[in-house]
Amino acid sequence: MNYSAVIYILGWILNFEGFFLLFPCIVAIIYREKTGVVFAGCMLLCLLLGAMAIHIGRKDKEFYAKEGLVTVSIGWIILSVFGALPFFLSGEIPFFEDALFETISGFTTTGASILSDVEALSKCSLFWRSFTHWVGGMGVLVFVLAVLPLAGGYNMHLMRAESPGPQVGKLVPKVRSTAMILYGIYVFLTALEVLLLLFGGMPLFDALTLSFGTAGTGGFSIKNDGLAGYTSYQQTIITVFMIICATNFNVYYFILMKKAKQILKLEEVMIFLGIILFSALFITWDIRHLFSNLREAGHHALFQVASILSTTGYSTTDFNVWPETAKTILILLMFTGGCASSTSGGIKVSRMVICMKMLRKELSTFTHPKSVKSVHMEGRAIGQEVQFSVAVFVMTFAMLFIISLFILTFNEFDFTTNFTAVATTLGNVGPGFAKVGPMDNFGKFSVLSKVVLMFNMLAGRLELFPILVLFYPKTWRK
């Protein structure tokens, strides 16, 4: 383990967090809020500690897969701890475990909250809370790779450790160029959504914070009623961008490169859009009696399908009171998640497709033992290594789910509450059902349960293995 290299990158992460904390300070100045002093203090602390870490670790910056996994995991933990300090030190979230829960939920783009009165927060805290979604959506290490001219052969290890999906590749030969393209697309989509929301009459502060949550597929709202109070146009714009940001970003690269025909070959994207269409139509029919007309039912059904499948977690209505069939579909979507190489969470559509094709291959082998068949995805053969990694991922996901669910039973809440609390944190979705529904929060859980749910949020965002590797003894050997 090359500790110098790890410390060096962690120092840059702290420096960038210090830079990000500048934005809520500006918001505090605009709205003349004293809480801005706390944010300024935390900003200086991050910059100071970051500079020290960079100085200590700059001697040997070469590292590989193991260091990449450890750097990403510890980096996200440090990011969350220092990001929680303004909430805690300002007294707006009086208990540190609650402040940490809220911050981890923000950076991991989960959107699960412990707050019962969101509107009681200062504007700068609301801004920071939503901005953590935007920072965590594309990934802070991807931002580091895009900005810093890092040398050596380890750049791809950082990107693979942080980026979602069974396979992580480069759009262009250089990793830094790939990171810059991804962030360029990300910034453009965010800015475009802000402009469209402003065109629809939404205040600038609301447009910014909701766009951060949409682009990062996070889901923190700045209103106690979620998005119910916004206009149909504004909700529709957010629906469209939730789908856009949960779609494989290769789509937008192909559009930029004028290779639109390549999009039709992206099997995962076509299936993802098909799931949205089928789920929205089915739920619309199932909830039609709860709304004044079929159009209104369809509007809310499409919004919630897009919100849950993209793992954003916004809500326009209390879907906790919907029929059981509609709620069951939403729970299944929590596990599915969006596309690989997007900002969404969940198992990912690509893994689901690969698992189904592996099952079909095994059934074919049983019926025709002498046949030789391979698994194909988007016109390419999926190697045994990728198939094995997908199977191990799903198995590990199931094991973490079962263990977490068992620990949560100590709260003596109902099964639906515990089950969906684990599903929504491990899948980085946000709201669940029953006592963690869209009109409720996670504040009622014990400290132990909150720790488990925080671990789940980090594990889900980092695709399980980077966070689990911290508990593997051989990781720390030189």
Side-chain angles (χ1 to χ4, degrees), residues 15-33:
N15 268 3
F16 281 119
E17 181 161 28
F19 169 71
F20 295 142
L21 282 165
L22 174 64
F23 295 98
C25 291
I26 295 172
V27 172
I29 293 171
I30 293 171
Y31 288 96
R32 299 179 181 180
E33 294 175 332

Side-chain angles (χ1 to χ4, degrees), residues 115-423:
L115 296 171
S116 57
D117 185 7
V118 173
E119 295 178 38
L121 293 180
S122 60
K123 292 285 187 180
C124 57
S125 291
L126 283 174
F127 183 91
W128 175 240
R129 184 169 169 266
S130 295
F131 192 57
T132 55
H133 280 333
W134 195 84
V135 173
M138 186 58 66
V140 66
L141 267 299
V142 175
F143 184 82
V144 169
L145 291 175
V147 175
L148 291 182
L150 298 175
Y154 55 83
N155 306 48
M156 198 62 199
H157 297 303
L158 287 173
M159 183 170 280
R160 284 200 181 107
E162 190 179 51
S163 300
Q167 289 180 295
V168 179
K170 294 180 284 187
L171 297 176
V172 291
K174 292 185 178 181
V175 176
R176 188 188 178 199
S177 298
T178 297
M180 291 177 70
I181 290 170
L182 288 172
Y183 250 98
I185 294 170
Y186 192 48
V187 171
F188 173 77
L189 290 175
T190 307
L192 180 60
E193 184 182 0
V194 170
L195 290 174
L196 290 173
L197 290 175
L198 289 173
F199 178 77
M202 184 178 286
L204 177 60
F205 184 82
D206 296 45
L208 282 171
T209 52
L210 293 180
S211 295
F212 291 152
T214 308
T217 61
F220 276 153
S221 176
I222 60 172
K223 304 289 185 182
N224 290 330
D225 64 352
L227 271 63
Y230 294 102
T231 67
S232 178
Y233 166 84
Q234 293 163 351
Q235 292 172 357
T236 301
I237 292 297
I238 291 171
T239 302
V240 171
F241 276 88
M242 286 191 291
I243 296 171
I244 287 173
C245 293
T247 302
N248 194 315
F249 272 47
N250 287 341
V251 168
Y252 314 121
Y253 176 71
F254 289 144
I255 292 172
L256 284 173
M257 295 294 106
K258 298 180 181 180
K259 298 178 180 179
K261 291 182 180 179
Q262 293 288 102
I263 297 172
L264 297 176
K265 297 179 182 179
L266 295 175
E267 186 178 351
E268 179 191 29
V269 175
M270 297 299 109
I271 293 172
F272 171 71
L273 296 176
I275 292 172
I276 292 174
L277 180 62
F278 172 80
S279 302
L281 289 174
F282 198 102
I283 291 177
T284 298
W285 184 255
D286 197 38
I287 65 172
R288 66 191 185 282
H289 63 283
L290 297 176
F291 298 94
S292 58
N293 55 62
L294 198 61
R295 181 180 174 279
E296 187 182 359
H299 171 79
H300 290 290
L302 180 58
F303 185 96
Q304 291 311 150
V305 166
S307 180
I308 298 298
L309 186 61
S310 69
T311 71
T312 305
Y314 283 141
S315 61
T316 56
T317 185
D318 186 6
F319 54 79
N320 208 17
V321 299
W322 285 5
E324 292 303 315
T325 304
K327 290 195 288 186
T328 300
I329 292 173
L330 292 180
I331 290 174
L332 293 175
L333 297 180
M334 284 182 186
F335 288 100
T336 306
C339 298
S341 299
S342 70
T343 61
S344 67
I347 293 174
K348 302 293 184 302
V349 173
S350 56
R351 287 196 181 95
M352 293 290 193
V353 174
I354 290 171
C355 283
M356 292 301 294
K357 292 188 174 186
M358 288 168 62
L359 174 60
R360 186 176 65 182
K361 174 191 168 188
E362 289 303 309
L363 290 174
S364 177
T365 303
F366 274 113
T367 54
H368 301 89
K370 293 183 179 180
S371 65
V372 178
K373 292 190 176 182
S374 57
V375 174
H376 286 78
M377 181 90 172
E378 297 175 351
R380 294 174 295 181
I382 301 296
Q384 291 293 328
E385 184 181 347
V386 175
Q387 293 181 46
F388 179 75
S389 70
V390 168
V392 171
F393 180 92
V394 174
M395 180 190 70
T396 307
F397 189 98
M399 288 177 61
L400 277 176
F401 188 95
I402 292 167
I403 293 169
S404 301
L405 182 59
F406 174 73
I407 296 174
L408 258 64
T409 59
F410 298 154
N411 291 285
E412 298 187 357
F413 294 150
D414 61 278
F415 180 76
T416 302
T417 296
N418 292 333
F419 186 90
T420 57
V422 175

Side-chain angles (χ1 to χ4, degrees), residues 7-8 10-23 25 38-56 78-79 82-83 85:
I7 292 170
Y8 177 78
L10 292 179
W12 276 111
I13 290 173
L14 277 172
N15 268 3
F16 281 119
E17 181 161 28
F19 169 71
F20 295 142
L21 282 165
L22 174 64
F23 295 98
C25 291
V38 177
F39 279 95
C42 293
M43 177 185 70
L44 294 174
L45 178 64
C46 288
L47 292 174
L48 176 62
L49 295 177
M52 291 171 61
I54 291 169
H55 179 75
I56 293 170
I78 288 176
L79 195 72
F82 283 89
L85 287 178

Side-chain angles (χ1 to χ4, degrees), residues 78-128:
I78 288 176
L79 195 72
S80 300
V81 169
F82 283 89
L85 287 178
F87 293 133
F88 175 64
L89 296 177
S90 66
E92 293 194 303
I93 301 180
F95 300 105
F96 185 74
E97 65 271 16
D98 287 343
L100 186 60
F101 185 99
E102 199 77 8
T103 309
I104 289 177
S105 182
F107 280 122
T108 59
T109 72
T110 303
S113 179
I114 52 82
L115 296 171
S116 57
D117 185 7
V118 173
E119 295 178 38
L121 293 180
S122 60
K123 292 285 187 180
C124 57
S125 291
L126 283 174
F127 183 91
W128 175 240

